[in-house]
Amino acid sequence: MKGEINISKEDVNSKDKKVVDMSNDYVFKKIFNTPEYIKAFYEAMFKETVDGVQIVEGTQLVSEDIYGKSPILDCLAILDDVVFHMEMQNKLTKDFIKRVLYCAFALVVRFVRKGSEYGDIGKARVVWIVDGAITKEDKIYVDKMENIWKLKQSLVGSELVEIYIIELPKLMKDKFKTYDIKDKFNQMVYMIKGKEEDENMEAIKQMNPIVEEITKTVRRLTEDEMTQIEMWRQEECERAGIEKIGI
């Protein structure tokens, strides 16, 4: 069901304050649409150094097509010459892998410049962070890479597009028993759901100044009135069975 629920300041003032973390869609966007933070995540994941970062404003990929699909992305940036899309997904819905592919292909189409040659199409990297586990049926479409999944290139159809899926619960459950806590990528992923008082988070913040900085930003967002309004609005929409606007 589509629709909207409005929450006023007065409504929020009468409710208990919600403690936020980055797995919340609104907070995730606030954090990773910041150039230094999305750059830090990208460099940690791909072990590459980035010089230029441009956050892409207006993340609707295409106007509605004949099927009524109009994807709106969480975070989109151009890092040097790579188009980079990050998405936070709290619920894995039916045909998840097909949704991932649809958005990746629409992303490539959006960045084909008018008058350019097809040979000029650049590289795109897509990362879906999911607060859940992909199904056994979907695992036939992916390859295991340490603690993440990568869609098979035969399914994607081009070396120009790389698509990765990170399962948050698996990583959080392991509590870094099998993953290196000193690895910056593991630190950045753990930070998304890690609680400040968690001993792993304390260790990570001491090792990684950018994690400490992001944690402070999330703490400020907890006190932010607009964040609280959005958190309560999302909860009311879920209770009413109203879909979020986006992918």
Side-chain angles (χ1 to χ4, degrees):
M1 182 174 76
K2 296 186 181 296
E4 189 61 83
I5 289 179
N6 294 316
I7 299 291
S8 68
K9 294 179 182 180
E10 291 73 21
D11 291 331
V12 168
N13 291 336
S14 67
K15 299 176 182 291
D16 293 332
K17 184 175 292 182
K18 284 188 171 294
V19 177
V20 305
D21 64 44
M22 273 176 287
S23 66
N24 174 270
D25 187 68
Y26 178 81
V27 177
F28 185 85
K29 292 176 185 177
K30 282 282 189 181
I31 294 297
F32 287 111
N33 278 304
T34 303
E36 57 266 38
Y37 297 160
I38 198 168
K39 176 178 182 286
F41 186 97
Y42 183 94
E43 290 182 333
M45 181 169 180
F46 296 105
K47 307 297 187 284
E48 298 174 4
T49 301
V50 171
D51 294 320
V53 182
Q54 177 189 345
I55 299 294
V56 178
E57 302 293 338
T59 55
Q60 182 169 330
L61 288 181
V62 292
S63 57
E64 285 199 2
D65 63 18
I66 58 173
Y67 301 108
K69 300 295 184 186
S70 182
I72 301 174
L73 309 184
D74 284 350
C75 306
L76 186 59
I78 299 173
L79 298 123
D80 291 340
D81 58 349
V82 177
V83 176
F84 183 50
H85 164 214
M86 284 180 72
E87 195 74 21
M88 182 70 221
Q89 191 75 18
N90 282 295
K91 293 181 179 178
L92 293 185
T93 55
K94 182 182 177 183
D95 296 327
F96 170 67
I97 294 295
K98 291 180 180 179
R99 292 175 70 204
V100 169
L101 284 169
Y102 177 88
C103 292
F105 296 151
L107 182 69
V108 171
V109 169
R110 170 173 172 171
F111 284 93
V112 175
R113 295 181 179 88
K114 185 177 181 180
S116 64
E117 300 293 330
Y118 289 115
D120 296 332
I121 296 175
K123 189 178 188 68
R125 280 172 166 163
V126 177
V127 176
W128 285 70
I129 302 171
V130 298
D131 198 0
I134 63 174
T135 64
K136 290 181 180 179
E137 291 78 12
D138 280 343
K139 286 182 180 178
I140 65 172
Y141 302 119
V142 296
D143 293 317
K144 186 70 172 174
M145 295 179 58
E146 295 185 16
N147 57 334
I148 65 175
W149 300 100
K150 182 181 181 183
L151 258 68
K152 294 180 182 294
Q153 290 304 131
S154 59
L155 182 66
V156 177
S158 171
E159 294 297 324
L160 291 173
V161 182
E162 298 173 5
I163 304 174
Y164 303 87
I165 300 169
I166 302 168
E167 296 173 322
L168 277 181
K170 178 174 174 55
L171 188 142
M172 300 304 293
K173 181 180 178 181
D174 288 346
K175 295 284 187 182
F176 284 97
K177 290 176 182 175
T178 56
Y179 303 133
D180 181 9
I181 197 171
K182 294 181 181 179
D183 181 84
K184 287 188 176 181
F185 171 64
N186 288 338
Q187 293 171 1
M188 294 293 285
V189 174
Y190 193 89
M191 167 192 69
I192 292 171
K193 283 284 281 189
K195 300 184 183 300
E196 275 204 75
E197 62 274 15
D198 186 321
E199 62 180 18
N200 282 326
M201 274 298 294
E202 287 299 326
I204 289 169
K205 286 190 291 183
Q206 291 178 20
M207 287 185 280
N208 192 332
I210 198 75
V211 171
E212 171 73 18
E213 186 179 325
I214 291 173
T215 303
K216 289 179 179 178
T217 302
V218 173
R219 199 183 308 142
R220 288 195 296 270
L221 285 171
T222 299
E223 302 299 323
D224 178 63
E225 189 174 59
M226 291 306 299
T227 302
Q228 289 295 319
I229 289 174
E230 180 61 24
M231 295 284 286
W232 280 106
R233 189 193 67 79
Q234 287 182 9
E235 183 172 298
E236 293 298 326
C237 284
E238 287 181 12
R239 187 178 291 119
I242 295 173
E243 299 175 13
K244 79 166 187 174
I245 297 172
I247 287 178

